[in-house]
Amino acid sequence: MIGAGRGNPLSLVLICALTLLSGACRKKAESGPSPRYAVLRFENLSGNPDLDWVGRAVSESLPASLAGTLGGPVLDSAAISRLAATLGPRPLTAPGDSSERTEALAAGANRLISGYVEGTGGQVMISAVEEDVASGKSLRMVTASGPSAIAAMERLARDFSQQAHPLPTTNVGALRAYAIAYESPAGAKREFLDQSIGLDPDFGEAWVALAGLEAVSGNRAAAEAVLERARAHKIDARSRANLDVGEANLKGDRQAIIAALRKVVALGPGDLVLLRSLAEAETTAGDFKPAISDWKKVTDALPNDAVAWNSLGYGRSYAGDYTGALAALREYERLRPKDANPTDSIGDLNYSFGKFAAAAGNYVEADKKQPGFEKFGDLYKAAWAKFRAGDKAGAAALFSQFRAQREKSRDQVIGLLEADWLYRTGRQQEAVSSLRKLISETRPPSVIAGAYAQLTVWELLQGDRAQAAKDSAAIGPTTSSAPVFMARFAALPSAPVSEWVARAQKLVPPQLAPLRNLTLGYALLLDGKRAAATQVWGEIVKSTSAIDFFSRAIYARLQGKPIERPLLQDANSLNQFAALVDRI
């Protein structure tokens, strides 16, 4: 099974899936990893609250100044803060080392630069230490001072590297306002960012932050206005690329988002969090080759990151590379030998490549490793794998084990799953009878509605629209469940294609508007309008993820083509339209 703000609000614009990071903080083993730097927020030890902002300003400015000068990537603050986007603003006085260390490690850093700020005799002094994470040793200590924070930061950067670039802004007021905005509550951010931009209109990071703030506030017009204003100034290349990402997100243009993300990643190759996000976006778009390349970069940088190996394995599987996928998943298994998920993933790989007997063995092994994993879902998967391998007796035995375990936990959905199993394994009458019995018993309304919806779909498949109308009516007018609504919609009286289209526009409620085409596609298919259904399903395939293999299977069937890959079964996501693939 695949896995899969605080600070600069751009992080909320760029990233939509950051749940695949467990294990990312593990460092490379003894082979001498290349350095990957992160600059933590410096502490203010001066006793002067007027210098609180300098600690954040150092961690914002130093990465830009040292980029490409230290023999390894220097993560910018966005690469770190993305991992803490839900934690809220950090107070200006919070110590950077204690509050950001975990996030920096999770972002892939193995060298940490931290320190403190002091003010004496009209001078600002900044002291920094570079730490090797693996050994815990301090590699060097640097102290720089100057008549202003900007001057001290410039000297600090040059002491780290003579090739240091200029700071993102040399306007002390602009940098101060930006640093304060970074750590302020959302309501106060805008004022400080406007102030920062007013003092230095070429300060790219401030423009990016302001555009991101407007976007996450839901003010699209304001975000677009900020983007237009920003482009009139001489901002740096990375900030311009980040603005491109924001603009593509506003437009919902998947390919433009990917193209812009690639630019940002190229300009900041140390940002593994963003690299993961890019790999996920490429996978969703079906760009499997670059996605594989990007996941490989993550595993090269973090060879002990088990989740990245899992993602690499699935990416190679989607691309048709069985051998490469198995190698990646074996590495995942080596890193997590006691976990069920690596073995489950290998089972998915074998199932997807038609190696059903092997898949059944993998799923059974996964269940033994962690009984109850995914609510005993591996027993369900194993039953389907056995059935596809031609072992009906073995399949029935495994499904019985699955059902018994679910019944022990008082699972209310097991009756629906059992009926689906019976129907799709060739026992249609038993399936219908089991649902009728389920309806006659005391069950939660959602289960009863699900049973009636399932009967409605099967009856439409059989061409019994009259009985389907009766069972649909018994559901009631609920729209709380998308599958239930779609079944009721499909059971409306047979009609010309134009009428079905009009019904979809009129009857699909606002909360289900994103599923309007899917609702129409099912209805046309179940009303025998094959040509029109084929056209609609083609549109559905274009608009959904490239790994939505169910939609692609229906579209292939409608075109008279073979299905690309066997559809994986999931005991925790009942698809009441699953039988369509078998019956088209």
Side-chain angles (χ1 to χ4, degrees):
M1 177 176 297
I2 193 167
R6 182 180 64 212
N8 191 332
L10 175 67
S11 63
L12 296 176
V13 179
L14 295 181
I15 305 300
C16 49
L18 300 179
T19 57
L20 302 176
L21 299 177
S22 58
C25 62
R26 294 188 177 94
K27 52 189 177 292
K28 281 188 178 180
E30 321 295 319
S31 57
S34 58
R36 300 174 56 79
Y37 297 87
V39 184
L40 308 184
R41 188 192 191 285
F42 280 39
E43 298 181 57
N44 177 19
L45 300 183
S46 69
N48 180 1
D50 289 340
L51 293 179
D52 282 345
W53 66 273
V54 180
R56 170 54 62 199
V58 175
S59 66
E60 287 294 293
S61 300
L62 208 57
S65 187
L66 296 178
T69 70
L70 296 181
V74 184
L75 306 185
D76 63 19
S77 63
I80 299 173
S81 65
R82 273 191 262 274
L83 299 178
T86 62
L87 299 181
R90 172 182 287 120
L92 278 167
T93 53
D97 195 306
S98 62
S99 54
E100 289 187 342
R101 184 183 181 91
T102 299
E103 296 153 25
L105 296 178
N110 55 26
R111 299 279 182 91
L112 301 180
I113 298 174
S114 60
Y116 54 89
V117 179
E118 294 181 295
T120 56
Q123 294 281 302
V124 175
M125 184 171 70
I126 305 175
S127 298
V129 59
E130 177 187 336
E131 175 195 348
D132 175 69
V133 173
S135 66
K137 295 180 179 179
S138 297
L139 301 181
R140 59 175 156 172
M141 298 183 68
V142 178
T143 298
S145 60
S148 69
I150 289 280
M153 279 186 270
E154 288 177 331
R155 291 174 183 174
L156 183 72
R158 287 197 300 272
D159 284 346
F160 266 100
S161 172
Q162 289 299 311
Q163 288 76 45
H165 309 294
L167 298 180
T169 178
T170 56
N171 186 301
V172 66
L175 186 56
R176 179 181 182 277
Y178 176 77
I180 295 174
Y182 191 103
E183 296 178 327
S184 297
K189 285 182 184 292
R190 187 175 288 102
E191 177 184 350
F192 286 111
L193 290 173
D194 281 334
Q195 180 182 339
S196 179
I197 290 167
L199 291 168
D200 183 357
D202 295 334
F203 187 10
E205 291 180 12
W207 282 110
V208 172
L210 182 58
L213 177 63
E214 300 293 8
V216 299
S217 300
N219 194 339
R220 176 168 180 160
E224 291 174 341
V226 171
L227 291 169
E228 183 176 356
R229 289 167 53 205
R231 295 189 192 288
H233 298 282
K234 297 179 180 179
I235 60 178
D236 61 283
R238 184 169 172 81
S239 294
R240 194 170 292 276
N242 277 322
L243 292 174
D244 289 343
V245 175
E247 183 176 16
N249 270 288
L250 286 174
K251 294 179 179 178
D253 187 333
R254 181 188 296 173
Q255 290 302 324
I257 291 171
I258 292 173
L261 282 173
R262 286 172 177 160
K263 289 181 184 177
V264 179
V265 168
L267 291 167
D271 192 341
L272 296 182
V273 179
L274 192 59
L275 184 60
R276 289 171 184 270
S277 193
L278 173 58
E280 289 291 339
E282 289 166 336
T283 299
T284 297
D287 295 338
F288 298 133
K289 186 174 180 180
I292 291 166
S293 175
D294 288 334
W295 279 119
K296 185 64 170 60
K297 291 174 186 175
V298 176
T299 60
D300 287 345
L302 301 170
N304 291 334
D305 185 345
V307 175
W309 284 106
N310 192 36
S311 297
L312 176 60
Y314 273 91
R316 287 173 172 173
S317 171
Y318 299 149
D321 180 5
Y322 176 85
T323 302
L326 183 60
L329 295 178
R330 289 296 185 198
E331 181 62 17
Y332 176 32
E333 189 176 46
R334 185 189 69 79
L335 292 168
R336 299 278 181 85
K338 296 181 180 180
D339 290 0
N341 201 60
T343 311
D344 173 271
S345 293
I346 294 172
D348 285 352
L349 173 66
N350 281 320
Y351 193 100
S352 297
F353 279 80
K355 301 176 185 292
F356 300 117
N362 297 138
Y363 293 138
V364 170
E365 181 185 350
D367 180 72
K368 289 179 179 177
K369 281 185 176 182
Q370 283 182 266
F373 177 70
E374 291 293 314
K375 298 181 180 178
F376 297 94
D378 277 306
L379 290 175
Y380 180 80
K381 288 182 173 184
W384 275 108
K386 284 277 190 183
F387 180 79
R388 293 296 299 268
D391 183 358
K392 293 184 179 181
L398 284 165
F399 188 86
S400 293
Q401 291 180 46
F402 165 70
R403 181 183 60 220
Q405 294 292 349
R406 282 290 185 95
E407 287 173 344
K408 285 181 184 178
S409 64
R410 301 182 183 277
D411 179 17
Q412 296 291 339
V413 184
I414 186 58
L416 299 177
L417 284 167
E418 181 176 24
D420 174 75
W421 166 262
L422 291 170
Y423 191 93
R424 292 167 61 206
T425 56
R427 290 162 286 179
Q428 284 81 9
Q429 289 305 314
E430 287 182 60
V432 171
S433 297
S434 72
L435 285 184
R436 296 291 180 198
K437 182 176 182 295
L438 188 69
I439 289 169
S440 70
E441 299 170 349
T442 302
R443 299 282 181 173
S446 61
V447 175
I448 300 300
Y452 274 123
Q454 185 67 87
L455 287 169
T456 298
V457 172
W458 289 345
E459 287 151 359
L460 291 172
L461 269 174
Q462 298 289 346
D464 190 349
R465 189 164 285 271
Q467 185 59 48
K470 292 178 182 178
D471 283 321
S472 172
I475 297 172
T478 178
T479 59
S480 59
S481 164
V484 170
F485 173 81
M486 289 189 284
R488 291 184 67 250
F489 181 88
L492 292 172
S494 179
V497 172
S498 59
E499 176 61 22
W500 278 116
V501 173
R503 288 172 177 173
Q505 290 296 326
K506 181 179 180 181
L507 300 178
V508 174
Q511 65 268 31
L512 297 181
L515 301 177
R516 181 175 285 113
N517 243 18
L518 187 62
T519 302
L520 177 61
Y522 281 133
L524 291 171
L525 181 54
L526 291 168
D527 194 27
K529 306 295 191 293
R530 192 179 182 101
T534 302
Q535 181 178 349
V536 171
W537 280 97
E539 295 171 1
I540 292 169
V541 165
K542 289 178 182 178
S543 66
T544 59
S545 165
I547 55 176
D548 174 9
F549 296 114
F550 180 77
S551 295
R552 279 158 176 70
I554 289 183
Y555 187 48
R557 290 287 199 202
L558 286 169
Q559 294 177 298
K561 297 179 180 178
I563 296 175
E564 293 178 12
R565 55 197 286 137
L567 298 175
L568 294 170
Q569 307 300 318
D570 184 356
N572 300 302
S573 181
L574 176 64
N575 182 352
Q576 288 160 315
F577 294 87
L580 269 69
V581 176
D582 305 323
R583 303 294 297 277
I584 296 174

